[in-house]
Amino acid sequence: MTQRIALIAGNWKMNLSITEAVALVSTLRDELKGTNNPEVLVAPPFTTLTAVREVVKDSPIMLGAQNMHWEDAGAFTGEISGRMLLEVGCTHVILGHSERRLIFHETDEMIDKKVKKAFEVGLTPILCIGETLEQREAGKTFDILRGQLGGCLASFITQGALPKGLILAYEPVWAIGTGKTASPEQAQEAHEFVRGWIEQKFGDEQALGLRILYGGSVKPDNISSLMAQPDIDGALVGGASLKAETFLGIIRHEA
Ligand code: PGA
């Protein structure tokens, strides 16, 4: 059986000054010295990427960005390209986060172009999907996930192959920043569905190797029960990744 390495990723969103970011990541680096299981990634705001890179460069902590544009360069005021992220040392990029979809009107079509470009330039995409409360209550969770997966991976469906390494994050919108976590069973059910969908479109090997993170109010006291589920391979952590104590608690699975 394929052994999937757990990944705990911190999505800092629009938080932390350069000084605060350096302080946080320095603590993480020192506390995590000599360990690389689970894998750990931080996704700071663009303005702190360079400073954070300097702290993590000789450590196993990986660096990701929270968004990127699908073009390499050009007249796209306010945007950042994948090549620019590579240049500052990012290896990963979060794409299609529900805040990007809901507040900034990103569509599956735009996200598909971003995922494709990320792979092209050599960044590992962390593609986020998830239903709203209204959609869940209407019994549409699987329809929404199927639609988002089909839309955000449309280019690869057309090509009939998915590059290795994609990371998915199932983040039910109703659980993000609300303190409400999906139960381990609810999360497992969604993750199993997602893996099944990948298997159907891209085959066994892709499905078995695919890491699917859970995101939405992950805390030190709920991480263990989530991680105990067979299809949960890690977490995408927002609020609790902003404090060394809580993020380390999650990394160490301290219940
Ligand atoms: P949260 O955010 O952990 O604060 O709920 C998760 C996310 O949005 O990635």
Side-chain angles (χ1 to χ4, degrees), residues 212-231:
I212 311 173
L213 314 182
Y214 169 79
S217 299
V218 174
K219 304 261 156 35
D221 62 5
N222 59 27
I223 184 69
S224 298
S225 55
L226 289 162
M227 291 301 287
Q229 301 297 318
D231 287 297

Side-chain angles (χ1 to χ4, degrees), residues 11 13 97-99 171 175-179 215-218 236-240:
N11 173 11
K13 307 192 181 185
H97 190 278
S98 61
E99 284 147 20
E171 299 205 306
I176 296 178
T178 57
S217 299
V218 174
L236 183 53
V237 186

Side-chain angles (χ1 to χ4, degrees), residues 28-29 31-38 40 59-61 251-252:
L28 297 177
R29 180 200 56 193
E31 291 286 328
L32 294 172
K33 215 178 199 138
T35 64
N36 57 3
N37 188 14
V40 175
S59 84
I61 299 175
I251 293 167
R252 293 169 176 156

Side-chain angles (χ1 to χ4, degrees), residues 79-100:
E79 293 290 326
I80 298 276
S81 75
R83 292 193 193 287
M84 293 169 176
L85 296 179
L86 275 182
E87 199 182 10
V88 294
C90 290
T91 50
H92 292 67
V93 59
I94 297 171
L95 296 174
H97 190 278
S98 61
E99 284 147 20
R100 299 293 322 162

Side-chain angles (χ1 to χ4, degrees), residues 10-30:
N11 173 11
W12 293 359
K13 307 192 181 185
M14 195 172 73
N15 293 296
L16 306 186
S17 66
I18 294 176
T19 313
E20 290 164 341
V22 166
L24 171 59
V25 82
S26 302
T27 307
L28 297 177
R29 180 200 56 193
D30 296 348

Side-chain angles (χ1 to χ4, degrees), residues 3-145:
Q3 197 61 37
R4 294 186 294 269
I5 299 166
L7 169 65
I8 305 292
N11 173 11
W12 293 359
K13 307 192 181 185
M14 195 172 73
N15 293 296
L16 306 186
S17 66
I18 294 176
T19 313
E20 290 164 341
V22 166
L24 171 59
V25 82
S26 302
T27 307
L28 297 177
R29 180 200 56 193
D30 296 348
E31 291 286 328
L32 294 172
K33 215 178 199 138
T35 64
N36 57 3
N37 188 14
E39 288 185 357
V40 175
L41 177 140
V42 292
F46 295 133
T47 49
T48 60
L49 283 171
T50 307
V52 170
R53 181 203 54 202
E54 284 311 300
V55 178
V56 300
K57 66 180 178 204
D58 295 318
S59 84
I61 299 175
M62 300 182 289
L63 190 63
Q66 300 171 19
N67 183 29
M68 59 170 253
H69 195 267
W70 59 82
E71 294 288 347
D72 288 330
F76 300 101
T77 302
E79 293 290 326
I80 298 276
S81 75
R83 292 193 193 287
M84 293 169 176
L85 296 179
L86 275 182
E87 199 182 10
V88 294
C90 290
T91 50
H92 292 67
V93 59
I94 297 171
L95 296 174
H97 190 278
S98 61
E99 284 147 20
R100 299 293 322 162
R101 294 174 188 263
L102 296 170
I103 308 171
F104 302 102
H105 310 293
E106 278 190 21
T107 62
D108 288 344
E109 205 182 346
M110 290 156 78
I111 299 162
D112 175 48
K113 290 197 262 187
K114 293 181 181 201
V115 175
K116 190 159 174 260
K117 177 55 80 174
F119 272 124
E120 250 171 61
V121 302
L123 287 166
T124 298
I126 302 175
L127 169 61
C128 304
I129 54 172
E131 80 289 356
T132 62
L133 185 58
E134 203 182 5
Q135 291 162 340
R136 172 163 283 266
E137 284 176 348
K140 292 190 182 142
T141 299
F142 291 163
D143 290 343
I144 296 299
L145 296 179

